[in-house]
Structures are given as structure tokens and as C-alpha cells.
Amino acid sequence: MKRILVLDDNEDILEIVQETLSYEQFEVKSTAEGEEVLPLIQDFKPHLVILDYRVSGMNGGEICKQIKAHPDYNDIPVIIFSAYINSNGELNAYGCDAVINKPFDLGELVDKVNNLIQ
């Protein structure tokens, strides 16, 4: 079973994403705390990471840069989702593999996850 790690500080979004991806036969672990992402990657060994751009502390883009700079994790696909960015180019500068704008369509989420995780 493929594993996905999700970061978002909105509990409703975490719940919807977790339910949707679990229904699609993924093992999902979620957190609302940005500083938990790298330790969770080490423990959970996800096949894909989904990061909200706006979380307390470090933003999802900075976390993405850390993941992509890490020699053990840089091949893990990262999706950033955000309601606050005007152009995907801003987010792509962090090295993410895909961008999803909020509010997002669950079908789009599933399609992007499946495309990146194969």
C-alpha cells in the first residue's frame, strides 16, 4: 500500500483529504504541525507528501525545499496546495512536483496523486 503524508492546519481539510485518499487505497498520515513533517518522513517513509502552503511556523514551500534538498528524500514527489498564491510559478520555485489551488476538486487531487505516485 502506498503511503501519503499530509500537512494542513485546517482539520476539516485534513479529514477530507485523509478520507478521500484512504478510500483510494492509500495509507495516509496527517499532521497540522510543519515541524513534524521531516521526522514523519523519516518514520513513515511516504511515497508522496502533500503540503499546505500556509501553516504556522515555516511555510509549506520552505518545507518542500528542505525535502528536495535532503539526499534521502529528494525523490519523494511533493504537492503543495494553497489558496494564497496567484501563480503556480511561485510555488514551483520551491521544487514541488505539482500545485493544487484551494478550494480544490477531490478528483483533481486523486488524479495528481495517482500521476505522481506510480
Side-chain angles (χ1 to χ4, degrees):
M1 186 179 271
K2 300 282 186 175
R3 294 176 301 280
I4 299 175
L5 177 62
V6 182
L7 166 70
D8 201 306
D9 55 5
N10 180 321
E11 286 296 324
D12 293 335
I13 290 176
L14 276 182
E15 194 173 310
I16 290 166
V17 170
Q18 185 144 11
E19 281 182 27
T20 301
L21 294 176
S22 294
Y23 179 79
E24 295 291 327
Q25 306 302 310
F26 295 108
E27 183 180 348
V28 182
K29 188 170 288 248
S30 58
T31 180
E33 303 297 326
E35 61 273 3
E36 292 180 358
V37 171
L38 289 174
L40 281 170
I41 288 174
Q42 187 174 357
D43 295 341
F44 185 56
K45 301 193 180 355
H47 296 92
L48 183 131
V49 177
I50 300 174
L51 303 170
D52 183 20
Y53 181 73
R54 276 253 171 111
V55 288
S56 61
M58 190 183 320
N59 72 43
E62 293 300 323
I63 297 168
C64 179
K65 278 171 79 172
Q66 286 186 354
I67 293 168
K68 293 302 186 178
H70 196 288
D72 296 335
Y73 310 146
N74 61 8
D75 59 338
I76 299 173
V78 176
I79 297 173
I80 294 179
F81 49 45
S82 176
Y84 303 100
I85 298 297
N86 297 330
S87 79
N88 290 354
E90 286 181 63
L91 292 180
N92 290 333
Y94 290 109
C96 63
D97 298 276
V99 174
I100 296 177
N101 294 311
K102 288 182 180 179
F104 56 90
D105 177 78
L106 292 173
E108 176 191 12
L109 173 69
V110 170
D111 286 348
K112 286 196 178 186
V113 166
N114 281 322
N115 286 337
L116 289 171
I117 212 164
Q118 296 310 332

